[in-house]
Amino acid sequence: VGELPLLTGVSPWFHAQASHAHAAPPARGGVPEPIDAAVIGFDTAAGNEAGATSSVQPTLRPASPAGTGVSPAPPSSSTTKSGKSRHVVTLAAAMPAVSRFMACARCKLWWMSPCWGADVGEIPAETQFLLLELKQGAGYVVLLPMISADGFRATLSGHVNEGGVLSLVAESNCSGVTTTGVSEALAVAAAASPFQAVEAAVGLAAKHMGTFALRRDKVAPPVVDVFGWCTWDAFYHQVTPAGVEAGVASLADGGTPARFVIIDDGWQSVQPDDIFKKKVDHISGMPPIPWTLPPNTPAVGAAATTSEGGSLAGEVATASGGGGMLAWAGASLARGVEAMYWHGLHAMPYASYSWRTLRFLGQYVLAPAIRAAISTASCFNHRVSGIEANVKFQDEGGADADADGTGGVLGKKRKDGDGLGRVVARIKALGVDHVYCWHALFGYWGGLHPGEPGVARFGPAMKHPEHTPGVLTVEPSQAWDPITVGGVGTAAPEQFAQFYRELHAYLAASGVDGIKVDGQAVVGGLGQGLGGGPALARKLHAALEASVTKHFPSNGLINCMCHSSENILNFSASALARVSDDFYPANDASHTVHIANVAYNSVFMGEIVLPDWDMFHSKNEAGALHAAARAVGGCPVYVSDAPGQHDFDLLRQLVFPSGRVLRAQLPGRPTRDCLFVDVTRDAVSALKVWNKNTRGGVVACFNIQGAHWSRQKGIFVSHAKVPPTVVATVRVEDIEGIMDDFSDSSERCCRLSPDACEDPETDANRGGGTQNDLDTTALFAVAAHRTHGVQLLRPGESVEITLAPKEWEVYTVVPVLNLPEGGVSWSPIALDQMFNGGGAVRAAGLLPAPPAHRKGTSTGEDGDDDDDTGGSLSLDDNRRHLSAARPIGSCGSGIDEGVSMRRGKGRDKGEGEGEREEEGAREKNG
């Protein structure tokens, strides 16, 4: 780093002091590849703080623990009366050695999205991760803003100063927490591979901060390897026990049973502020709206239909009873108001005159009207009123007692205690192994209710979020957002720790196995008087994870709406987090953008957590696009289909009859050749996502051109009426590290064992720099899932596919193995009916033939079998076990859950006999 003219207009120290930190694992037979890394700090006492008019820059200093080879750190950030709570430091005026960048920057309060460019002025505000591609193939550099021990959170921005300079912003967001310098503000790493550079920078930050751990060192909850279902897009707030049971039964009836279920928002006891309370609340107590299911589907409570999973129009229709002229008129008016708001008022530039006027109106003049509307038609000003589940989950009845679709007898509480445990027991009796429940970081969207006896012991008090200039630059409307205007019921961190313990103890006693914790990113605006947002987040996440460890020992925690670094850099034990904005069923422009967001955000977040690519609808125009993405994402696979609304032909390509899924081994990430291109709107590029299986790997190609996230408008925008067709080029070396895995295939794949390949993470990250030195004698089979073609490729060769808008393909890539003698080449490829069918093949190799098969199997009638080999094929899952053993061309393979003998048909049996054996095994095992 120090030797490269990477940045100009920055302190000379930066060029001189970065030093060699460690080396990447060597490629097999090669030499270690150097990785330079350092942690950078600044001290404004050594010069004037950088700004629009400053000519003198602050001194940048190194800060590293012993053993990294970097100069000693300066003293810890000092809190003095002369310090500031917010610093803007000029980091670079230009990046002359950089050809392109990819940034992960916040696009809303809650979420990040990727951004691409070449100039410093194109780097957005609230950039939390920056990956640079150097010119002339010189390598890659990562800049990762950190959070200091005394609570100063750093970000990058090319917009905060005039003139388009790259600035480092460090702030506590608390007027009482100030400093003159931050010793640990930025982790920097350079390597020949982009994925090595990311790993080095994130690892170095984790070592310095001590507040988060790397994904590879965490235990993922068991839900990541089984199929799941979430209630949100099926029911929204109108979820009922009967609805949950119907959803689970519907999926099981189609042969794709859900093994984990998320009971999303709508189960908690919540109330609006006292002035807006009604006898029957539209979230906790409203009877679900009757609705009609397809024939032969169990009746269930209502599924609210909204345009984007929570739009005002949908909420008005729901609150009005879902029908009639009044509801139609209210929804129509709401749609008009929404259109005017989202295409105009929402995106008023931060700090402009118009924005200041709207902020004044929203926070003062119109505040009562905003609070009344939101409390009546939405959820954001509701607050937790008690620990126990709401009346919907306390009622008598169930699916059998709910045939009329009304949800049972409201208000008739169970005679034998709380009802949630009974609900969970019934769900698990249908074959579900894991049940999670949703709640927000502060309990609910509006926090804890200060006026309710059920939570009074936690001492809640109202506080209004005060967001940083960076957040308001990204999302100006947060100045008049319902949560900002209505406030959040907060408490001291110690009281929230007690709230978590009580809530989680109640859920665990009811049979719940984990939680999904939403609404996390607002924490950055609620730290005034509590040490600042970063300090508050650190305490809350420590308390949350401690409670999860105690009550949900399988690490049952999904983090959501958490894309501020206050949250991400405090994931110490939690191993699972959403990496994108929501799946919006009815927003056509959002679907392709969603695929881009999950893939590029996983480059950063995938080092810290196992990425959650969110739920989707299988019976949706973009359902196959989402399904193909989940198959290669290395992520949990779950849907939010309404009961009876499923595409089972699609789901069966993801889910086995046992409910298991074939999850790839790593976070799915873009291939090198599309890391730095805007695959949503450059009109020529396809997105390619790579991953690894136990044996071989997978590359998925997507045409996601035609829509993008507009940072100017703050909404999804379709920019092409007819999106272009693109051509994707697939190469073996798109899969990082695959050449190291199989550089000596005859030696490394000679035994039938899942240990035949080394750690996929290590192999992938040491995948070399330029990829020019390839073993062109190796041969790989490349099999297409959708178009069914199989081709043989050597490194350096490629296969092309033309993709229409929203079209996709998934390629399984495996090595072709050669027998030591005889000139025979062979390879098991995949279960060809599954998206990631290659994930079922655990190992392949040569092994001695069983004695019973040796006589005459390979050498003729003389029985000379000294050189005979045989093979076996095992078909196995937790619901059935089938196996067949016979000589099959001197090969053996271990196959998970198996079905490529055309769904279990034994080839050495008569026609139909294999089917009968499979059918019998299924009956025997239920």
Side-chain angles (χ1 to χ4, degrees):
V1 176
E3 295 175 356
L4 290 169
L6 178 65
L7 309 173
T8 61
V10 71
S11 162
W13 177 92
F14 182 78
H15 296 283
Q17 294 299 322
S19 65
H20 178 72
H22 64 285
R28 192 164 290 99
V31 297
E33 295 181 356
I35 296 177
D36 285 353
V39 170
I40 308 301
F42 67 88
D43 183 4
T44 60
N48 294 330
E49 183 164 5
T53 59
S54 297
S55 59
V56 181
Q57 299 169 44
T59 300
L60 296 171
R61 299 178 181 271
S64 295
T68 62
V70 187
S71 303
S76 173
S77 307
S78 57
T79 55
T80 68
K81 292 182 179 180
S82 61
K84 297 181 179 181
S85 62
R86 185 173 191 262
H87 294 269
V88 178
V89 178
T90 298
L91 188 60
M95 300 185 294
V98 175
S99 59
R100 299 177 294 181
F101 72 77
M102 189 277 286
C104 292
R106 286 164 84 173
C107 59
K108 297 181 180 180
L109 168 68
W110 313 103
W111 301 111
M112 283 191 306
S113 65
C115 180
W116 303 267
D119 299 324
V120 293
E122 298 175 286
I123 297 172
E126 284 288 307
T127 290
Q128 301 180 131
F129 170 86
L130 185 61
L131 175 61
L132 308 175
E133 178 189 59
L134 304 183
K135 293 179 179 178
Q136 301 177 340
Y140 304 87
V141 174
V142 169
L143 306 181
L144 179 64
M146 298 166 59
I147 301 175
S148 68
D150 50 357
F152 277 79
R153 169 180 173 264
T155 57
L156 298 172
S157 175
H159 294 269
V160 73
N161 283 318
E162 296 178 3
V165 300
L166 178 60
S167 298
L168 175 73
V169 181
E171 54 200 333
S172 67
N173 202 21
C174 179
S175 58
V177 179
T178 62
T179 187
T180 59
V182 175
S183 62
E184 298 179 337
L186 186 69
V188 185
S193 157
F195 303 105
Q196 287 177 352
V198 176
E199 182 186 38
V202 177
L204 189 60
K207 183 176 181 180
H208 276 261
M209 291 179 59
T211 58
F212 71 96
L214 303 181
R215 169 187 48 81
R216 64 191 312 175
D217 298 325
K218 298 177 180 178
V219 177
V223 298
V224 301
D225 290 312
V226 293
F227 180 53
W229 177 67
C230 179
T231 64
W232 180 242
D233 287 314
F235 301 109
Y236 300 113
H237 294 115
Q238 304 303 311
V239 60
T240 64
V244 179
E245 292 174 55
V248 172
S250 182
L251 287 167
D253 288 345
T256 58
R259 289 288 177 252
F260 87 93
V261 166
I262 300 174
I263 303 176
D264 212 290
D265 190 359
W267 70 270
Q268 287 175 281
S269 292
V270 298
Q271 290 288 341
D273 294 332
D274 293 343
I275 192 174
F276 303 116
K277 283 185 180 179
K278 294 182 179 181
K279 184 175 181 180
V280 178
D281 184 67
H282 71 286
I283 297 175
S284 290
M286 172 173 279
I289 306 160
W291 62 301
T292 303
L293 283 167
N296 303 319
T297 304
V300 68
T305 56
T306 64
S307 63
E308 292 187 11
S311 72
L312 180 59
E315 295 287 1
V316 166
T318 300
S320 301
M325 183 61 68
L326 180 62
W328 177 86
S332 297
L333 177 62
R335 278 191 291 270
V337 172
E338 280 187 297
M340 179 180 68
Y341 176 80
W342 288 108
H343 291 277
L345 303 181
H346 173 68
M348 288 290 180
Y350 167 63
S352 66
Y353 177 80
S354 299
W355 178 86
R356 294 177 190 276
T357 301
L358 281 173
R359 180 184 60 173
F360 174 78
L361 293 174
Q363 293 187 2
Y364 300 100
V365 179
L366 300 177
I370 293 174
R371 292 179 60 201
I374 296 301
S375 297
T376 301
S378 188
C379 60
F380 296 113
N381 283 171
H382 280 60
R383 317 184 199 286
V384 175
S385 58
I387 292 292
E388 290 188 351
N390 62 40
V391 65
K392 292 183 296 182
F393 286 79
Q394 302 288 354
D395 293 336
E396 293 284 5
D400 295 337
D402 193 42
D404 62 353
T406 62
V409 184
L410 281 167
K412 187 177 179 181
K413 192 168 181 177
R414 301 179 188 279
K415 297 177 181 178
D416 55 350
D418 180 77
L420 183 61
R422 293 280 297 276
V423 173
V424 173
R426 289 205 309 270
I427 296 171
K428 290 189 173 181
L430 295 174
V432 173
D433 298 321
H434 314 280
V435 175
Y436 281 30
C437 281
W438 178 101
H439 72 78
L441 185 66
F442 289 91
Y444 200 67
W445 300 107
L448 307 183
H449 204 302
E452 288 293 324
V455 292
R457 60 190 177 278
F458 306 117
M462 293 304 300
K463 179 173 287 190
H464 295 266
E466 298 180 33
H467 297 297
T468 65
V471 169
L472 293 173
T473 299
V474 168
E475 192 174 9
S477 62
Q478 280 298 323
W480 53 85
D481 182 83
I483 294 179
T484 302
V485 174
V488 179
T490 65
E494 297 77 15
Q495 295 298 320
F496 258 108
Q498 181 62 29
F499 169 75
Y500 294 148
R501 289 192 293 268
E502 291 191 24
L503 176 62
H504 298 163
Y506 162 73
L507 293 174
S510 299
V512 173
D513 304 285
I515 50 173
K516 173 183 173 182
V517 180
D518 222 332
Q520 296 188 15
V522 73
V523 67
L526 293 170
Q528 286 287 345
L530 295 171
L536 177 61
R538 185 170 298 177
K539 293 176 181 178
L540 290 183
H541 278 282
L544 178 66
E545 292 192 353
S547 182
V548 168
T549 299
K550 179 178 180 180
H551 299 104
F552 309 120
S554 64
N555 204 13
L557 171 59
I558 303 173
N559 296 283
C560 193
M561 298 183 81
C562 56
H563 286 188
S564 62
S565 55
E566 291 109 330
N567 298 293
I568 298 170
L569 301 185
N570 280 300
F571 293 158
S572 178
S574 57
L576 189 56
R578 274 272 299 281
V579 291
S580 74
D581 197 348
D582 290 2
F583 164 77
Y584 296 113
N587 188 329
D588 185 65
S590 71
H591 295 300
T592 52
V593 181
H594 184 104
I595 306 302
N597 288 350
V598 292
Y600 286 90
N601 285 344
S602 292
V603 175
F604 165 37
M605 292 184 65
E607 293 296 325
I608 300 172
V609 292
L610 192 152
D612 174 2
W613 287 23
D614 201 16
M615 65 194 91
F616 68 99
H617 276 176
S618 64
K619 202 169 185 178
N620 182 283
E621 183 266 338
L625 183 79
H626 283 283
R630 304 312 188 273
V632 300
C635 55
V637 178
Y638 60 112
V639 295
S640 53
D641 296 347
Q645 301 299 309
H646 315 291
D647 183 343
F648 285 116
D649 289 338
L650 182 69
L651 291 178
R652 291 187 191 108
Q653 298 174 65
L654 284 170
V655 187
F656 286 114
S658 66
R660 290 181 62 200
V661 297
L662 292 174
R663 184 172 61 88
Q665 292 189 313
L666 301 173
R669 290 162 286 182
T671 57
R672 288 197 198 192
D673 56 352
C674 62
L675 264 176
F676 299 96
V677 297
D678 186 345
V679 293
T680 65
R681 52 178 171 170
D682 72 355
V684 296
S685 300
L687 169 65
K688 296 190 298 179
V689 176
W690 69 275
N691 213 318
K692 300 187 77 173
N693 291 315
T694 304
R695 184 177 183 276
V698 61
V699 178
C701 307
F702 305 91
N703 182 350
I704 56 173
Q705 297 282 341
H708 68 282
W709 174 261
S710 171
R711 291 185 179 272
Q712 289 72 37
K713 294 184 177 181
I715 56 175
F716 298 104
V717 173
S718 294
H719 57 262
K721 290 183 178 180
V722 181
T725 295
V726 299
V727 176
T729 302
V730 177
R731 304 174 179 84
V732 171
E733 53 270 30
D734 283 337
I735 301 170
E736 298 286 327
I738 195 170
M739 297 307 301
D740 291 323
D741 289 347
F742 301 104
S743 60
D744 188 357
S745 296
S746 62
E747 175 185 347
R748 301 195 65 219
C749 294
C750 63
R751 60 188 187 277
L752 188 60
S753 166
D755 299 326
C757 295
E758 294 183 8
D759 173 40
E761 193 100 39
T762 302
D763 287 342
N765 286 336
R766 71 164 171 228
T770 62
Q771 297 184 332
N772 290 328
D773 299 326
L774 300 175
D775 177 9
T776 57
T777 63
L779 190 63
F780 290 80
V782 180
H785 174 72
R786 184 175 60 86
T787 55
H788 303 296
V790 178
Q791 300 192 45
L792 299 180
L793 295 182
R794 300 186 187 281
E797 298 176 342
S798 63
V799 57
E800 290 188 346
I801 183 170
T802 300
L803 299 172
K806 292 184 180 176
E807 208 166 48
W808 54 271
E809 182 59 278
V810 178
Y811 290 95
T812 296
V813 181
V814 295
V816 174
L817 306 179
N818 297 309
L819 298 188
E821 299 177 1
V824 176
S825 299
W826 65 280
S827 186
I829 299 175
L831 300 182
D832 60 4
Q833 298 176 40
M834 309 297 286
F835 279 104
N836 183 29
V841 183
R842 299 303 188 191
L846 306 177
L847 67 165
H853 294 161
R854 286 192 175 185
K855 186 68 174 178
T857 56
S858 300
T859 59
E861 298 298 328
D862 61 2
D864 182 7
D865 57 1
D866 289 346
D867 295 326
D868 291 350
T869 57
S872 68
L873 177 65
S874 175
L875 309 175
D876 185 16
D877 73 47
N878 59 351
R879 297 287 299 276
R880 71 180 191 271
H881 181 89
L882 304 175
S883 63
R886 57 180 294 226
I888 47 175
S890 303
C891 67
S893 61
I895 297 186
D896 179 39
E897 181 107 21
V899 194
S900 208
M901 290 183 13
R902 290 298 171 189
R903 291 281 179 192
K905 297 179 183 179
R907 294 189 181 181
D908 55 352
K909 300 184 180 210
E911 184 68 28
E913 191 175 341
E915 291 181 90
R916 288 193 296 273
E917 177 180 286
E918 181 183 12
E919 195 76 12
R922 284 184 175 176
E923 284 188 25
K924 180 179 178 182
N925 292 284

